[in-house]
């Protein structure tokens, strides 16, 4: 996956791979991998590169925002991220790729995944073909709660539009065995991305876009606990959501 931000900054400043390699003391092939393969350099090297380019290091490599260790807070908490924007999309893709039994997604839109990873539908088809149950619940653009969310975030009809766009993205999955798509009109307190016994939970903060809100990575640790609470939350919404029929918009 390419690092378009890095490519744009280098192009704007007239930097070649060799130029940045010289400035950071690495091989030009390393710089090429940063740009074309989305590789993240070591922190010291990344900081040197960012300073050379006159850019914020976290803007170039969001993954370098360190996840806070779970310490002794909970055996289920793998990592805590300040905001969703700190996670590369590959984190979500890797989570889904590892799923063998189920993938559950509860969001309003989350079109950022499709936009950054156009093969998402193919990946979900592949998982379903391997026997994985895939359930996706997206926001009903016409629901009162989705429209209220747009007002709270001062995003107007943007949320509604993104819900409709999400439905368009998933349209190609209609009728695929093992994949179910529903729309919901609930007040969404968290977006949930589950793959078997792991889960990414994106908290929702009043007036803040989801990309700027915290994310915690959970791993099931026995029965009960936080993981089970979010599973119950997903099931409750899923049971009230409406199946999407082919041809729906």
């Amino acid at each position: 996956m390419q690092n378009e931000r890095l490519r744009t900054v280098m192009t704007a400043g007239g930097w070649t791979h060799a130029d940045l390699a010289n400035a950071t003391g690495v091989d030009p092939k390393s710089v090429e991998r940063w740009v074309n393969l989305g590789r993240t350099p070591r922190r010291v090297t990344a900081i040197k590169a960012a300073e050379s380019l006159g850019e914020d290091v976290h803007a170039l490599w969001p993954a370098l925002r360190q996840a806070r260790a779970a310490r002794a807070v909970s055996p289920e908490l793998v990592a805590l991220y300040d905001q969703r924007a700190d996670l590369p999309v590959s984190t979500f893709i890797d989570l889904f790729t590892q799923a063998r039994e189920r993938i559950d997604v509860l969001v309003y839109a989350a079109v950022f995944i499709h936009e950054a990873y156009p093969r998402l539908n193919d990946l979900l088809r592949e998982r379903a073909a391997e026997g994985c149950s895939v359930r996706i619940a997206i926001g009903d653009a016409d629901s009162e709660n989705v429209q209220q969310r747009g007002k709270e975030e001062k995003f107007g009809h943007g949320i509604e539009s993104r819900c409709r766009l999400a439905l368009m993205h998933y349209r190609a999955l209609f009728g695929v065995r093992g994949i179910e798509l529903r729309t919901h009109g609930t007040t969404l307190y968290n977006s949930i991305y589950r793959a078997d016994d792991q889960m990414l939970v994106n908290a929702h903060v009043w007036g803040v876009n989801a990309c700027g809100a915290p994310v915690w990575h959970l791993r099931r640790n026995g029965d009960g606990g936080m993981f089970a609470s979010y599973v119950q939350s997903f099931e409750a919404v899923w049971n009230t959501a409406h199946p999407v029929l082919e041809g729906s918009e």
Side-chain angles (χ1 to χ4, degrees):
M1 191 178 302
Q2 298 181 354
N3 188 329
E4 292 296 343
R5 176 76 176 188
L6 177 58
R7 183 191 302 278
T8 299
V9 170
M10 289 179 63
T11 300
W15 288 77
T16 65
H17 294 166
D19 292 335
L20 190 55
N22 289 332
T24 55
V26 301
D27 188 277
K29 290 184 178 179
S30 295
V31 177
E32 183 179 356
R33 286 191 286 270
W34 300 347
V35 176
N36 295 329
L37 299 180
R39 299 287 176 78
T40 300
R42 296 193 331 190
R43 179 172 294 276
V44 173
T45 304
I47 292 174
K48 187 181 298 185
E51 290 176 346
S52 299
L53 295 170
E55 182 62 79
D56 179 73
V57 66
H58 295 129
L60 295 175
W61 294 287
L64 287 176
R65 289 185 186 273
Q66 284 188 325
R68 296 176 183 172
R71 295 193 177 92
V73 175
S74 168
E76 295 180 280
L77 186 58
V78 178
L80 172 64
Y81 301 88
D82 290 340
Q83 54 186 14
R84 195 192 71 199
D86 293 342
L87 281 75
V89 171
S90 59
T91 302
F92 296 85
I93 300 305
D94 289 345
L95 188 77
F96 295 152
T97 300
Q98 295 170 25
R100 293 296 177 268
E101 297 181 1
R102 70 171 57 254
I103 292 174
D104 289 334
V105 176
L106 172 61
V107 296
Y108 270 161
V111 294
F112 72 95
I113 303 181
H114 270 108
E115 291 172 346
Y117 189 74
R119 285 200 68 257
L120 178 60
N121 284 352
D122 293 332
L123 172 59
L124 295 177
R125 285 194 199 91
E126 292 165 3
R127 293 287 90 243
E130 293 291 329
C132 190
S133 169
V134 179
R135 298 184 296 177
I136 301 168
I138 60 178
D140 178 351
D142 296 319
S143 70
E144 180 180 345
N145 284 317
V146 167
Q147 294 173 8
Q148 180 62 33
R149 179 68 181 275
K151 296 176 184 177
E152 293 169 357
E153 293 185 7
K154 297 180 174 58
F155 200 42
H157 297 292
I159 297 294
E160 300 168 43
S161 298
R162 293 177 84 77
C163 287
R164 298 186 197 283
L165 180 58
L167 189 57
M168 292 176 64
H169 279 305
Y170 286 116
R171 185 184 304 281
L173 298 178
F174 290 156
V176 176
R177 184 184 296 274
I179 298 179
E180 293 184 78
L181 179 62
R182 297 185 182 183
T183 58
H184 69 93
T186 61
T187 300
L188 195 61
Y189 300 105
N190 302 276
S191 292
I192 296 174
Y193 308 85
R194 178 192 178 186
D196 294 342
D197 291 336
Q198 295 196 67
M199 180 186 296
L200 293 171
V201 179
N202 185 188
H204 289 185
V205 180
W206 195 95
V208 177
N209 188 279
C211 68
V215 172
W216 36 93
H217 180 180
L218 301 178
R219 181 178 291 115
R220 185 197 294 274
N221 184 48
D223 297 329
M226 291 189 296
F227 192 96
S229 294
Y230 285 112
V231 168
Q232 292 171 8
S233 176
F234 177 91
E235 295 295 343
V237 174
W238 184 257
N239 289 335
T240 63
H242 301 286
V244 175
L245 303 177
E246 189 169 2
S248 300
E249 294 183 359

